[in-house]
Amino acid sequence: MKRLFTVIALFAAVLAQAQNTQEAAAEAAAALSAAEDVPVKVEKPKYWNSTLLTNINFGQTYLSQWAAGGYNSVSLAGNLDGNVNFARGKMIWNNRLQLDYGFMYSADKPIAQKNKDRIYFESKWGYETPVKHLAYSATLDFKTQFGNNYDYKTPATSKDDDGNVIEPSRADWLAARELKSGFFAPAYLNIGLGALWTPAPWISVNVAPLAGGAVFVTIPELRYTYGMDLVKDSEYTDRKEAHTAQAYDQFKKARMEFGAQLKVDMGWVINDKFSYTTQFTAFYNYLTPKVEPRLTWDNKVFWKLAKFFALTLSTNLIYDPLVIVRDSDKDGVVDSKGVQFKEFLEFGFTYTLSAKH
């Protein structure tokens, strides 16, 4: 009898264990089924990448009983460099906007002078070809400035009744200045179709054998300086003659161009504190085959010295055979054309924003 009770107890234990196992299996199956119903979160691809670099630079010079001479001066300049880039599959689309503006005040002139003024936008689209590192491309770039720039010539002095020299006033300086450029005077617009070659991440070469462009000059008295042609049926046959006669309405507001463009971009990022970028552009106009190409070369060195402070060196070089750099020599008879060059070395506050979306 005792053995029978033992067997019954063992059998009951086995049944209980089996039931527990079945319940556990059922719970596991239910949990697995519930897990299958929960949607798996897939991270959305990020095709856009944007950055914005800002700089505010301040300079100051103070002299007191300085034997070598000089003038007290202050300067203030700002810069924005924004990039918005898109990449998906075989297609890329890169956009960049650069804005520069600055002025200085020197004790030798009772006026503030603008020394930095630039608006530059460029857009580059590319689609990969079967050839490695080569893509079809379309480019657009536009360049002008915010406002008027002047050449401040020293005004003539006068004397009072006692023979003392009267220093020129602010009004005298403003009257003697010579207008050199302005908003949309000039403005350059170029559109090109061709091929984009990127043999390495730090270099890209864009060749556009079909490039259309336009040069705009909205200020009439500057149209001769920037190579505008005479209007159709003009009463003058020579550009110089119309300019000398101040017949500014005889010049066209715009000049259309059709030719080929070469643009080379290179950039090195040594680390998160030091970088160098350069861009060289050449445009040859098929409509004026005897005229030399228009060349531009821009460079920028950025060195971040501390978290919010940086040293920036930038240069801009332009050679445009149609632009009159100086319209007379000492005899007043020669138009001068040459290389235009501008350089800035600045230290100041910097901050960078970046995002991917």
Side-chain angles (χ1 to χ4, degrees):
M1 183 63 68
K2 185 178 181 179
R3 291 181 178 178
L4 178 60
F5 286 134
T6 302
V7 172
I8 292 173
L10 291 174
F11 182 71
V14 171
L15 289 178
Q17 183 65 31
Q19 185 176 1
N20 292 337
T21 302
Q22 291 178 353
E23 292 177 354
E27 292 177 357
L32 180 61
S33 177
E36 291 176 351
D37 293 338
V38 176
V40 179
K41 186 177 180 180
V42 179
E43 186 176 355
K44 185 179 179 180
K46 296 180 179 179
Y47 305 114
W48 293 91
N49 181 22
S50 58
T51 62
L52 177 63
L53 174 65
T54 62
N55 283 313
I56 299 177
N57 303 293
F58 174 78
Q60 185 262 343
T61 301
Y62 173 74
L63 304 175
S64 177
Q65 302 186 59
W66 190 254
Y71 299 97
N72 298 336
S73 65
V74 293
S75 63
L76 181 66
N79 166 262
L80 292 177
D81 190 345
N83 292 267
V84 178
N85 302 325
F86 176 85
R88 183 175 184 180
K90 295 183 178 182
M91 187 179 74
I92 63 167
W93 183 27
N94 297 336
N95 302 275
R96 185 180 187 186
L97 175 65
Q98 299 178 72
L99 304 176
D100 298 278
Y101 194 85
F103 62 90
M104 65 170 292
Y105 177 86
S106 178
D108 63 324
K109 298 180 180 68
I111 48 177
Q113 306 171 67
K114 187 165 52 173
N115 62 355
K116 195 176 186 182
D117 190 357
R118 184 170 181 255
I119 301 173
Y120 181 57
F121 172 76
E122 60 176 334
S123 183
K124 183 189 302 179
W125 176 89
Y127 191 87
E128 292 182 7
T129 70
V131 180
K132 189 177 182 181
H133 303 308
L134 193 66
Y136 304 110
S137 70
T139 61
L140 179 147
D141 58 75
F142 172 78
K143 179 167 59 178
T144 186
Q145 58 190 32
F146 288 100
N148 293 345
N149 282 335
Y150 298 91
D151 182 12
Y152 289 90
K153 300 182 180 297
T154 304
T157 58
S158 59
K159 295 184 179 181
D160 59 18
D161 296 337
D162 298 328
N164 300 317
V165 175
I166 302 176
E167 293 294 331
S169 65
R170 183 175 186 275
D172 295 331
W173 279 96
L174 294 177
R177 66 185 180 178
E178 179 183 353
L179 181 64
K180 304 298 290 186
S181 60
F183 179 67
F184 258 79
Y188 298 91
L189 175 65
N190 295 289
I191 300 174
L193 298 175
L196 177 65
W197 182 51
T198 53
W202 53 270
I203 181 173
S204 67
V205 180
N206 190 87
V207 180
L210 299 176
V215 181
F216 305 94
V217 182
T218 57
I219 301 177
E221 53 266 41
L222 295 178
R223 290 172 185 163
Y224 170 75
T225 300
Y226 290 100
M228 296 296 104
D229 297 322
L230 294 172
V231 298
K232 187 178 180 181
D233 301 326
S234 171
E235 59 184 279
Y236 296 91
T237 58
D238 181 77
R239 294 176 64 254
K240 180 69 174 179
E241 182 183 2
H243 174 66
T244 303
Q246 297 185 354
Y248 304 127
D249 60 336
Q250 297 294 301
F251 292 92
K252 295 181 179 180
K253 299 178 182 179
R255 181 179 71 248
M256 306 307 295
E257 300 177 328
F258 176 69
Q261 180 175 267
L262 170 67
K263 182 179 290 187
V264 181
D265 289 277
M266 292 186 290
W268 292 269
V269 179
I270 308 302
N271 50 42
D272 60 347
K273 298 184 182 298
F274 189 88
S275 64
Y276 167 65
T277 58
T278 182
Q279 182 184 85
F280 173 80
T281 303
F283 179 83
Y284 177 74
N285 192 355
Y286 296 146
L287 305 180
T288 55
K290 294 183 179 180
V291 177
E292 298 171 315
R294 181 171 65 241
L295 309 176
T296 63
W297 185 24
D298 300 328
N299 296 274
K300 187 174 184 179
V301 177
F302 179 78
W303 185 11
K304 196 171 185 179
L305 302 175
K307 185 176 181 179
F308 296 115
F309 295 94
L311 186 69
T312 305
L313 172 65
S314 59
T315 65
N316 305 111
L317 182 148
I318 301 174
Y319 175 72
D320 190 335
L322 297 180
V323 173
I324 306 299
V325 177
R326 182 169 52 90
D327 61 7
S328 63
D329 64 4
K330 62 181 180 180
D331 298 322
V333 294
V334 177
D335 289 339
S336 175
K337 305 173 183 180
V339 176
Q340 307 168 56
F341 183 76
K342 181 170 58 176
E343 177 264 337
F344 288 97
L345 179 63
E346 300 169 307
F347 171 79
F349 174 83
T350 184
Y351 189 72
T352 303
L353 300 171
S354 63
K356 291 184 178 181
H357 47 89

